[in-house]
């Protein structure tokens, strides 16, 4: 995949080829445990690395934390009812590892497991398919104290976590993903210091990449063994990595960012090799037989996509690039993220060619700093424009042959947006954090209509 690219297909697109989505195309919404659950000190939950990180002064906008978040732990029934009203066919959520294994390993926490039991049952009775992600960044703090992802043992602890989830939910849940965006949490956590554990150390960073890959392969084996009829995947953020300037040095920097951002996980997991440009950096952690352990067959590739990413040359950077903002003239969302649906279409086509797997878009959406009117309503036309342009780009990719089988909006609810805290809202449903009232935004109604129109066509 060369994600350092220019659009490979140019408009105008033949409209007759649009709306080719499969009749069984999956329309869903996504969330993650730390971002919505709250109940951080309840039901026997252990601490995660994010609980502690949020308490470090200056880390999170306004000093926000996920302690309460959307209180989904208590309000999940209402949230499932909302999804049912929207007509979504699938809900992708993550399991909080410290909620079910407070110390990360050892004794399970029954109250935590029962929460996910109830959630799964309530989804199934609403006719919504649960899509479970085993890890969306909230590592148990106890495991961080044992070295976190820099410790090879963490791969085995993750496989045990996978075994617990599979054995308790695998009778009803069939769709499992291992990790959400491993390149983001390793790069931001072990190289840039923006996310926990906030270290910047080359050896730990490359060890973390490798151990997460190993954990992925081990968990895939466990899930295959324990879940009859499992449909397994991995979720990767894939975005074109572009040079911010036109010098050869900036272009080389963009190629390195492409390696770390798009390929350091997807290539070993789905092709059995590390990209050449980083292979020597992985050798200290990679033992004989590891690539076979990592390269286990999966059934689908989950792609999260929002915007292109940019690199610039920086001779002081040990990674071979520095992170850069998009060029000043880029079209942007209200929170400054570049809007470029062409890039999305090309990523889907490239990923389909490179990995040869069915694709589900497991996250896509638009962030905003929004105000509601007195009734709590939000007329989020910009989000509707974004979603509609990106879904059209997806349709174009399908029309040009990409095997894309589903799309999940990020996110069902406004939620805790990591370093931005509650200031950036990605939900199609507004959350009033003072009262926890949920109000579907205009985009929720638009999405519901889009789903209904596809269903009507598919069943006509
Ligand atoms: C993705 C994360 C998700 C959310 C969106 C906006 O990178 O997977 O948790 O924060 O960005």
């Amino acid at each position: 995949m060369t994600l350092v690219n220019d659009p490979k297909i140019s408009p105008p697109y033949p409209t007759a080829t649009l709306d080719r989505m499969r009749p069984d195309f999956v329309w869903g919404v996504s969330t993650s445990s730390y971002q919505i659950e709250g109940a951080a000190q309840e039901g026997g939950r252990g601490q995660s690395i994010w609980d502690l990180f949020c308490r470090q002064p200056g880390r999170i906008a306004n000093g926000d934390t996920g302690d309460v978040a959307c209180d989904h732990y208590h309000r999940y029934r209402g949230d499932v009812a909302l999804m049912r009203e929207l007509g979504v066919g699938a809900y992708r959520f993550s399991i909080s590892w410290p909620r079910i294994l407070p110390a990360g390993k050892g004794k399970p926490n029954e109250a935590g497991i029962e929460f996910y039991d109830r959630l799964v049952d309530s989804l199934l009775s609403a006719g919504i398919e649960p899509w479970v992600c085993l890890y969306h960044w909230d590592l148990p703090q106890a495991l961080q104290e044992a070295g976190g992802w820099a410790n090879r043992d963490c791969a085995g602890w993750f496989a045990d976590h996978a075994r617990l989830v599979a054995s308790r939910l695998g009778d009803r849940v069939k769709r499992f993903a291992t990790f959400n965006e491993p390149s983001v949490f390793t790069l931001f956590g072990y190289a840039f210091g923006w996310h926990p554990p906030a270290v910047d150390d080359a050896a730990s960073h490359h060890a973390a990449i490798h151990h997460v890959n190993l954990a992925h392969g081990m968990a895939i084996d466990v899930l295959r063994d324990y879940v009859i009829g499992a449909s397994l995947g991995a979720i990767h953020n894939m975005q074109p990595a572009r040079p911010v300037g036109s010098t050869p040095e900036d272009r080389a920097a963009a190629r390195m960012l492409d390696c770390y951002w798009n390929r350091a996980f997807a290539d070993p997991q789905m092709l059995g090799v590390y990209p050449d440009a980083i292979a020597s950096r992985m050798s200290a952690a990679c033992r004989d037989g590891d690539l076979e352990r990592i390269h286990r067959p999966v059934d689908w590739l989950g792609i999260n996509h929002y915007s292109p990413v940019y690199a610039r040359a920086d001779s002081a950077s040990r990674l071979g690039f520095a992170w850069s903002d998009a060029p000043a003239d880029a079209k942007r969302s209200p929170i400054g993220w570049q809007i470029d649906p062409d890039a999305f279409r090309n990523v889907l086509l490239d990923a389909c060619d490179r990995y040869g797997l069915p694709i589900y878009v497991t996250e896509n959406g638009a962030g905003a700093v929004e105000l509601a009117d007195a009734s709590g309503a939000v007329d989020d036309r910009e989000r509707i424009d974004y979603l509609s342009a990106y879904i059209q780009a997806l349709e174009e990719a399908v029309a040009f042959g990409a095997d894309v089988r589903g799309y999940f909006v990020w996110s069902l609810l406004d939620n805790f947006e990591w370093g931005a805290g509650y200031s950036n809202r990605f939900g199609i449903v507004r959350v009033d954090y003072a009262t926890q009232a949920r109000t579907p935004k205009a985009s929720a109604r638009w999405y519901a209509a889009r789903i209904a129109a596809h269903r009507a066509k598919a069943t006509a």
Side-chain angles (χ1 to χ4, degrees), residues 32 35 136-137 180-181 304 306 337 363 410 417-418 426:
S32 90
Q35 293 178 276
H136 200 122
W137 306 357
N180 178 73
E181 301 190 354
N304 293 357
Y306 294 88
W337 292 19
E363 284 184 27
W410 182 272
E417 178 48 28
W418 310 115
F426 273 85

Side-chain angles (χ1 to χ4, degrees), residues 313-329:
D314 178 358
S315 52
S317 155
R318 65 171 178 78
L319 294 175
F321 69 89
W323 187 260
S324 172
D325 203 3
D329 59 355

Side-chain angles (χ1 to χ4, degrees), residues 34 70 140 195 200 238 254 368 379-380 407 439 442:
Y34 190 72
C70 308
H195 282 184
D200 174 5
M238 290 195 177
D379 189 10
D380 54 342
Y407 175 89
T439 311

Side-chain angles (χ1 to χ4, degrees), residues 406-434:
Y407 175 89
F408 292 69
V409 170
W410 182 272
S411 179
L412 171 67
L413 303 169
D414 291 337
N415 59 47
F416 175 81
E417 178 48 28
W418 310 115
Y422 297 99
S423 60
N424 288 356
R425 293 174 178 267
F426 273 85
I428 55 174
V429 174
R430 174 159 180 105
V431 175
D432 176 339
Y433 294 112

Side-chain angles (χ1 to χ4, degrees), residues 168-245:
R168 299 298 293 269
L169 301 180
D171 55 335
R172 288 152 293 155
V173 177
K174 301 298 166 189
R175 304 280 198 167
F176 286 95
T178 51
F179 288 91
N180 178 73
E181 301 190 354
S183 67
V184 174
F185 74 80
T186 51
L187 207 50
F188 289 8
Y190 289 85
F192 295 169
W194 298 344
H195 282 184
V199 295
D200 174 5
D201 171 65
S204 309
H205 179 214
H206 293 105
I209 292 174
H210 187 65
H211 299 149
V212 168
N213 276 326
L214 200 54
H216 160 85
M218 291 170 73
I220 290 290
D221 283 348
V222 165
L223 292 162
R224 280 279 177 234
D225 281 355
Y226 278 76
V227 182
I228 298 163
S231 172
L232 308 180
I235 296 173
H236 298 290
N237 48 294
M238 290 195 177
Q239 284 126 312
R242 295 179 175 161
V244 76

